[in-house]
Amino acid sequence: ILLSTLSCSKSETPTSGTMSLDNKLYGSAPYYSLGFTFSDAKKVSTLANPGPDITIEAGVLEGGVSVVPFLEANTLEPAFGFIGQYSTSAEAEAAFNTLVSAGSPTWIDMGAPLAANQVWVFRTGDDTYAKLLILSLSLNTGVNPYFASCTFKWVYQPDGSKTFPAL
């Protein structure tokens, strides 16, 4: 009876949700932060193997002069595709909800410049896809290291196709 109960209680990994990430450092040499892995739908240490799919960071990007928050990927190829910046959260939510495919965006190395009410697509190192809606973002440049946090809504396509599952 116990074995049948355990096998029936197996839960599926979510393919969508809302996540908050920040770049707070933990530990003591080596330091680590927590990122997010889509395939497991959870936060993962940057020291883990495999590491997280995405993390949030803050710094001055090449060619820039200001500190900005940005999403970084644990991939060998450009992983972020910018879909759009929207004036209101309602417009951003509508664009996110109607985005049914990762399509063929121009892939870039980092999710930058990052701002609230943006929609992005993400390609993991395993060539699976997710779409992200940036809900909120904060940046504190008065601390060392700079502190960034981001809350985003996400939908993940685990089968490798570019079509996102219906919610």
Side-chain angles (χ1 to χ4, degrees):
I1 293 176
L2 180 60
L3 289 176
S4 66
T5 303
L6 289 175
S7 65
C8 292
S9 66
K10 182 180 178 184
S11 62
E12 290 187 27
T13 302
T15 57
S16 64
T18 301
M19 177 55 59
S20 293
L21 290 178
D22 62 48
N23 64 336
K24 178 180 176 182
L25 295 177
Y26 299 92
S28 57
Y31 295 102
Y32 66 94
S33 62
L34 298 176
F36 184 70
T37 181
F38 291 100
S39 60
D40 293 330
K42 67 179 183 178
K43 290 183 180 181
V44 176
S45 165
T46 53
L47 297 177
N49 188 8
D53 291 321
I54 61 172
T55 57
I56 186 160
E57 304 294 337
V60 177
L61 299 178
E62 185 176 329
V65 294
S66 301
V67 175
V68 296
F70 57 92
L71 292 174
E72 201 166 54
N74 185 23
T75 62
L76 297 175
E77 295 185 22
F80 294 94
F82 182 67
I83 300 302
Q85 171 73 54
Y86 302 91
S87 300
T88 67
S89 59
E91 289 174 355
E93 182 86 27
F96 178 79
N97 290 339
T98 58
L99 180 64
V100 296
S101 173
S104 298
T106 299
W107 296 105
I108 58 178
D109 289 328
M110 291 179 269
L114 196 61
N117 299 328
Q118 288 180 336
V119 176
W120 293 82
V121 290
F122 176 76
R123 176 176 55 192
T124 71
D126 295 331
D127 287 329
T128 55
Y129 297 87
K131 63 179 179 176
L132 308 172
L133 168 59
I134 307 302
L135 299 172
S136 64
L137 192 64
S138 68
L139 174 66
N140 181 352
T141 58
V143 295
N144 186 13
Y146 306 124
F147 180 80
S149 66
C150 178
T151 299
F152 58 92
K153 191 172 181 179
W154 60 278
V155 174
Y156 174 60
Q157 177 49 279
D159 70 7
S161 76
K162 291 186 174 184
T163 303
F164 296 114
L167 298 177

